[in-house]
């Protein structure tokens, strides 16, 4: 039990020495054992409920998942780096041509291959889900057109209208859930990449010889750990939009051409 300098323990002190410490929140991602809890982020409800009523402290939050810790992210990247750079010379990776951007292409660079090796399965999985969801986004537009025709048809039955509305609601709900999960997982992946790069650069900086430190200033190292890692972090969740955005433009253009005709080109 902690004691003050006067020799008396404070009234709110506990036997474990926690003076007024707030309780840990229940829940957490580890408790999300069902797909429903994961899709709707029900495991985060205790934190939202507590923060709505009173202040939420850092020590009340749950521990990071194993895949999100600095040690795990850094070790995975270092392992992949050793595998991808096996047989390569340090002089080739640190030559003047590479520094001027005249070295190998982006897809052949060791860092690109390392990130692809570590995250390719999750990245491809959610990219496919995002593309399928883009096709799903066209269905509510088609259903809305059918609903408008239904409202104009005096002989249409009520069952048909209810079926159209319910189907449109289900499709929009699926779209929203998949998009939320997509951005959650890709932003998590981007944070893992940033953490891994910072961890790898920091470990390397601790082992630099005096001769190597003369060629790499602290400013260069800090840029790698802050600015460059930040750029990679935001590139990951935005990169699928190169495919998804093009696909959405194509699908929407086809819908407009089908329903409006040649005037949609304007």
């Amino acid at each position: 039990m902690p004691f003050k300098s006067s020799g008396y323990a404070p009234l709110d002190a506990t036997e474990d020495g926690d003076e007024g410490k707030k309780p840990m929140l229940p829940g957490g991602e580890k408790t999300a054992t069902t797909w429903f809890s994961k899709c709707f982020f029900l495991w985060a409800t205790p934190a939202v409920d507590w923060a709505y009523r009173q202040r939420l402290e850092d020590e009340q939050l749950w521990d990071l998942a194993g895949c999100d810790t600095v040690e795990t992210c850094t070790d995975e990247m270092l392992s992949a780096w050793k595998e991808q750079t096996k047989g390569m010379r340090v002089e080739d990776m640190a030559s003047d041509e590479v520094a001027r951007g005249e070295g190998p292409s982006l897809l052949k660079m060791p860092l690109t291959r390392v990130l692809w090796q570590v995250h390719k399965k999750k990245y491809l999985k959610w990219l496919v889900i995002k593309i399928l969801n883009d096709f799903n986004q066209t269905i509510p537009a088609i259903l809305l057109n059918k609903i408008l025709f239904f409202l104009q048809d005096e002989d249409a039955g009520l069952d048909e209208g209810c079926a159209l509305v319910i189907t449109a609601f289900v499709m929009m709900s699926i779209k929203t859930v998949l998009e939320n999960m997509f951005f959650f997982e890709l932003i998590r992946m981007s944070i893992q990449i940033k953490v891994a790069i910072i961890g790898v650069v920091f470990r390397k900086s601790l082992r630099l010889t005096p001769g190597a430190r003369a060629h790499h200033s602290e400013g260069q190292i800090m840029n790698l750990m802050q600015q460059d890692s930040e750029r990679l972090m935001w590139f990951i969740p935005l990169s699928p939009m190169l495919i998804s955005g093009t696909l959405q433009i194509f699908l929407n253009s086809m819908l407009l051409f089908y329903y409006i005709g040649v005037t949609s080109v304007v």
Side-chain angles (χ1 to χ4, degrees), residues 52-144:
Y52 174 76
R53 292 181 285 107
Q54 53 188 304
R55 182 176 177 178
L56 181 63
E57 302 293 345
D58 294 342
E59 61 268 14
Q60 293 182 262
L61 296 176
W62 317 285
D63 295 332
L64 287 174
C67 60
D68 295 330
T69 59
V70 178
E71 293 79 7
T72 302
C73 296
T74 305
D75 291 341
E76 286 182 351
M77 186 170 182
L78 282 175
S79 177
W81 179 267
K82 292 178 181 178
E83 182 177 342
Q84 292 295 333
T85 57
K86 186 181 299 182
M88 295 183 63
R89 298 183 304 171
V90 178
E91 293 79 5
D92 297 335
M93 293 185 288
S95 62
D96 295 335
E97 293 182 355
V98 174
R100 293 194 303 267
E102 300 174 358
S105 62
L106 178 63
L107 298 179
K108 295 182 179 180
M109 293 180 66
L111 180 59
T112 306
R113 299 202 306 267
V114 167
L115 296 179
W116 177 252
Q117 177 180 337
V118 176
H119 300 283
K120 62 181 178 181
K121 291 183 179 180
K122 183 183 294 186
Y123 186 86
L124 291 175
K125 168 188 173 182
W126 287 103
L127 179 60
V128 171
I129 292 176
K130 184 67 172 67
I131 292 175
L132 294 177
N133 194 41
D134 291 337
F135 283 98
N136 178 48
Q137 291 182 15
T138 62
I139 298 178
I142 298 174
L143 293 175
L144 179 60

Side-chain angles (χ1 to χ4, degrees), residues 174-246:
I174 294 175
K175 167 185 172 297
T176 303
V177 170
L178 290 180
E179 281 187 350
N180 289 339
M181 290 294 298
F182 168 78
F183 284 108
F184 173 78
E185 292 295 340
L186 258 72
I187 289 176
R188 162 184 270 181
M189 186 193 307
S190 64
I191 294 175
Q192 291 174 354
I193 290 175
K194 179 180 179 179
V195 168
I197 292 176
I198 293 176
V200 170
V201 173
F202 180 73
R203 290 187 185 183
K204 181 64 176 180
S205 65
L206 295 178
R207 297 193 297 269
L208 288 177
T209 62
R213 290 182 182 275
H215 295 86
H216 300 86
S217 63
E218 293 184 4
Q220 291 176 324
I221 296 175
M222 292 303 297
N223 283 338
L224 286 173
M225 297 175 64
Q226 293 181 357
Q227 297 182 8
D228 296 341
S229 62
E230 188 78 14
R231 294 190 184 100
L232 281 173
M233 171 183 171
W234 288 113
F235 172 77
I236 299 303
L238 296 178
S239 58
M241 295 304 167
L242 297 173
I243 300 175
S244 177
T246 305

Side-chain angles (χ1 to χ4, degrees), residues 25-64:
L25 292 175
E29 192 174 3
K30 294 180 180 180
T31 62
T33 56
T34 62
W35 66 269
F36 188 81
S37 178
K38 294 179 180 179
C39 291
F40 292 93
F41 301 98
L42 299 182
W43 51 268
T45 301
V48 177
D49 182 61
W50 181 282
Y52 174 76
R53 292 181 285 107
Q54 53 188 304
R55 182 176 177 178
L56 181 63
E57 302 293 345
D58 294 342
E59 61 268 14
Q60 293 182 262
L61 296 176
W62 317 285
D63 295 332
L64 287 174

Side-chain angles (χ1 to χ4, degrees), residues 9-20:
L11 295 177
D12 57 350
T14 62
E15 293 182 359
D16 296 330
D18 298 332
E19 301 179 11

